[in-house]
Amino acid sequence: MFQSVDNTNLSGQTARQAWMALLARAPLGLLETVVAPLGDAAAHWLRRPETGLMMVQGRVGGSGERFNLGEITVTRCALRLATSTDTTPTVGVAWVLGRNHRHAELAALADACLQNPGLHADLETALLEPLRTHRTSASAQRRQQALSTRVDFFTVAREAGSPNSENKS
């Protein structure tokens, strides 16, 4: 599935895909304050954070043929979280842009905790709602910055008026 980083159309996503996208773009400070206190003492690492490269593809004009644009750095990890109330352990995974291992660890821990029905409601209000607000404000800020650099070019034909409004004397 190919998606834009700034894709705001979340209608086709499952709930887990939506929160994983939020966690991947989350500011580290918010993850530290909300997720870190949950602790990872009960976490068993299936894959410790590791950094690698992924190929990014682009399209000419947004609709043409795909081409390889370049590589980006990605950090991924996976953990299994065994809680005392569950007999089956929960697996949390994370993929984040960049080399921040701590961000990937906290995102995977949050993913595992969000799958737990007992913790989901609390994390929805303490973590996901602020992340949605942050994403909305960041998107609006990017849009405003792009609009501030907009240049409106006028052509001679446009300045002269429409072709139907000829002055006949």
Side-chain angles (χ1 to χ4, degrees):
M1 174 187 261
F2 297 95
Q3 291 184 351
S4 167
V5 172
D6 292 334
N7 187 7
T8 57
N9 181 11
L10 300 176
S11 60
Q13 291 184 334
T14 65
R16 185 169 183 216
Q17 287 173 327
W19 80 54
M20 288 180 76
L22 286 172
L23 292 171
R25 297 180 185 116
L28 184 60
L30 183 61
L31 289 176
E32 286 284 356
T33 58
V34 177
V35 180
L38 297 174
D40 54 355
H44 171 71
W45 288 105
L46 301 173
R47 180 184 303 258
R48 286 219 170 259
E50 55 188 26
T51 302
L53 296 174
M54 286 182 70
M55 181 62 68
V56 179
Q57 293 184 336
R59 289 181 182 259
V60 176
S63 62
E65 286 290 320
R66 288 190 183 124
F67 64 94
N68 291 336
L69 185 64
E71 294 177 332
I72 57 171
T73 307
V74 177
T75 303
R76 68 178 180 176
C77 68
L79 59 83
R80 183 175 55 225
L81 188 64
T83 59
S84 59
T85 59
D86 291 338
T87 57
T88 59
T90 306
V91 175
V93 296
W95 290 69
V96 296
L97 288 177
R99 301 172 184 250
N100 195 334
H101 288 212
R102 183 66 176 157
H103 185 176
E105 290 172 357
L106 291 173
L109 180 61
D111 176 43
C113 291
L114 282 164
Q115 294 176 58
N116 183 340
L119 297 173
H120 184 82
D122 293 336
L123 285 176
E124 176 74 31
T125 57
L127 180 64
L128 295 182
E129 285 302 319
L131 288 179
R132 286 185 192 104
T133 304
H134 178 267
R135 190 183 85 203
T136 303
S137 66
S139 178
Q141 185 179 16
R142 276 192 309 275
R143 192 172 21 264
Q144 185 63 34
Q145 184 179 8
L147 285 175
S148 71
T149 62
R150 180 179 170 181
V151 177
D152 194 11
F153 292 99
F154 291 101
T155 62
V156 174
R158 229 169 98 187
E159 289 179 7
S162 67
N164 295 336
S165 62
E166 295 178 12
N167 288 338
K168 295 183 180 179
S169 305

